[in-house]
Amino acid sequence: MNKIEKKILIMLALAQFILTLDSTVMNVSISTLVVDLHTTVSGIQLAITFYTLVMAAFMIPGAKIGDIIGRKKAFIVGTAIYGVGSLITALSPNLGFLLFGWSLLEGLGAALMIPAMLSLIASNYPSGAKRVKAFATVAAIGAIGAAVGPIVGGVLTTYATWRLAFLGEVLVVIYVLARGGIIKDSIVKIKHKGFDYLGTILSASGLGLLVLSILQASTYGLITSRKPFVVNGKEILSAGDISPTILLGAISLALLALFALWQSRQKRKDGAQLVDLGILKNKIVRSGVATIFFQLLLLGGVMYGISLYLQIELGYNAMQTGLTMLPLSAMILVLASRGDVMATKFSTRKIVRVGFMGMLLGAVILGIQANHNPSGISLIPCLALFGAGMGMIASQLQNVVQNSVEESASAETSGLMATFQYLGQSFGTAISGVLIIGSFITVGTKLIDSSTSFSASEKDQLYSAVESNPQIVSNSELEQSLAHVSQETADDVVDLNAEARKSALSHMFILLAAISILGLLGTKNLPSTLAEAKR
């Protein structure tokens, strides 16, 4: 590569670094964020989920905007929006500002940046060794961002403040914007017929409501509502009625069905389309979409769950949490950076399948270990196995899918892949919360039932607390809320809560793996080599 090509690669790699860093840097700081922003664990879960949801909902529109205004301009505008969001996040005094800066603005900025970046790689590096190296470098730097996120978050939160991570992102944004002029724009070879506003509304609202419906299950229940569902002071559903999860889920699926019909109609009428769903006729793209969805579902759920486990169950601070996650991070980095070497010895399909099985097995072992109060050290093997699997998949998937489509469809394809990537991560974070709370209620109710330490009236109060307002809290937090009861009763409640919480976290990891095993089916049509992927 010449000097200009190297400088462009540095800028694109730095942009990818902060995008992936953001997806993991906050997990180790959950306990600190709860205190600093005067919120709850559920509030931080909402922010994490909303961040990836915004990216998922607007990734396809972001790709289309890049086609219309140019990929370089979309990348620059998206980077600027991302930088503003990072600054607001760094200065956030409460959850509302965090949701606006991190979850909304950074999510929207990323939705413009990510689809454009892959097209800009194709336009700035000729087909062959240079382009392969550029794709591999950006993918590896992305893996590094995800890998070092827990360490960066842990160090900054423990010795300074988590806010410095976002101020650092602002500096990267300033550098990219200052040097972005040397990037060569990609040539859009397709005719545009305007922007599909209705398609954007239908897809974004459909995807948003789908994830929102899952989030409601933690509070209201999956099938029947544990308590009244109130909107703007008006009771929409009463306790015992169908859960808002079912209601919102049905509405979201209807909106997504309308979106698909609208896209088909626009294609027949030769009108503006948000995305050509015909891309999914490509079996490699279909396989890539399915695989990346379940991979990120498992990653999002495990990263959220392990952070809760280490900080609330084991009482680790952010630094200890980040260090415990180091084996996972290190293995992602090592395996992702060796993708080209692995591809010369094994088929792409085999690498992805082995990687997926490694992630599944790592999650199951993590769940088993979590039920035996281990130290962080005892979790090293399963975290390393999980990270190795993640790195193997990351080293192959995006590249093989991009090689299966024409260059003119690269932005649309990357937008579709990124949509399912972040949708999977949103689902993972949301579902992990549902699984934890559902298991906590089930186990907690059984423990109350079998306990001989509480009177009938005390059991009724505990039933009500567990079923109407279940919360995953530390022993110290619960002790503070029980200051008004006798020490003996408080100790019994804390012990019961600790046992139910530990079981719930353990079950969550195993159930996530059971759900994610569907991702192995997605590998069926992946090619054995990059040569097979070319159309």
Side-chain angles (χ1 to χ4, degrees), residues 189-208:
K189 299 178 181 179
I190 53 178
K191 181 182 178 182
H192 296 292
K193 309 173 184 69
F195 187 73
D196 185 2
Y197 293 99
L198 180 58
T200 299
I201 293 170
L202 289 173
S203 66
S205 57
L207 293 173

Side-chain angles (χ1 to χ4, degrees), residues 376-523:
I377 293 175
S378 65
L379 299 177
I380 288 176
C382 53
L383 289 174
L385 179 60
F386 188 90
M390 178 74 188
M392 291 176 72
I393 297 172
S395 72
Q396 306 294 319
L397 197 58
Q398 190 70 253
N399 195 22
V400 77
V401 171
Q402 284 295 326
N403 271 276
S404 74
V405 299
E406 301 294 340
E407 187 175 323
S408 59
S410 64
E412 207 164 35
T413 303
S414 64
L416 196 63
M417 285 285 287
T419 294
F420 279 88
Q421 174 183 344
Y422 290 106
L423 185 63
Q425 198 166 344
S426 294
F427 263 68
T429 307
I431 288 173
S432 64
V434 173
L435 295 176
I436 292 170
I437 294 298
S439 180
F440 180 82
I441 292 172
T442 301
V443 175
T445 301
K446 288 181 179 179
L447 290 174
I448 295 168
D449 233 3
S450 61
S451 175
T452 58
S453 302
F454 305 107
S455 65
S457 62
E458 287 174 333
K459 284 188 175 184
D460 287 340
Q461 291 177 338
L462 288 171
Y463 285 137
S464 177
V466 168
E467 293 176 0
S468 64
N469 189 32
Q471 293 287 334
I472 301 299
V473 297
S474 66
N475 290 349
S476 58
E477 288 178 281
L478 186 58
E479 286 168 355
Q480 291 176 11
S481 68
L482 294 171
H484 61 286
V485 304
S486 69
Q487 187 63 50
E488 183 180 359
T489 300
D491 289 343
D492 289 336
V493 173
V494 169
D495 289 343
L496 186 148
N497 175 76
E499 188 172 348
R501 182 186 62 217
K502 181 176 67 175
S503 295
L505 288 164
S506 172
H507 295 163
M508 182 272 295
F509 291 117
I510 296 171
L511 291 172
L512 270 177
I515 294 169
S516 302
I517 201 169
L518 292 171
L520 279 174
L521 301 177
T523 65

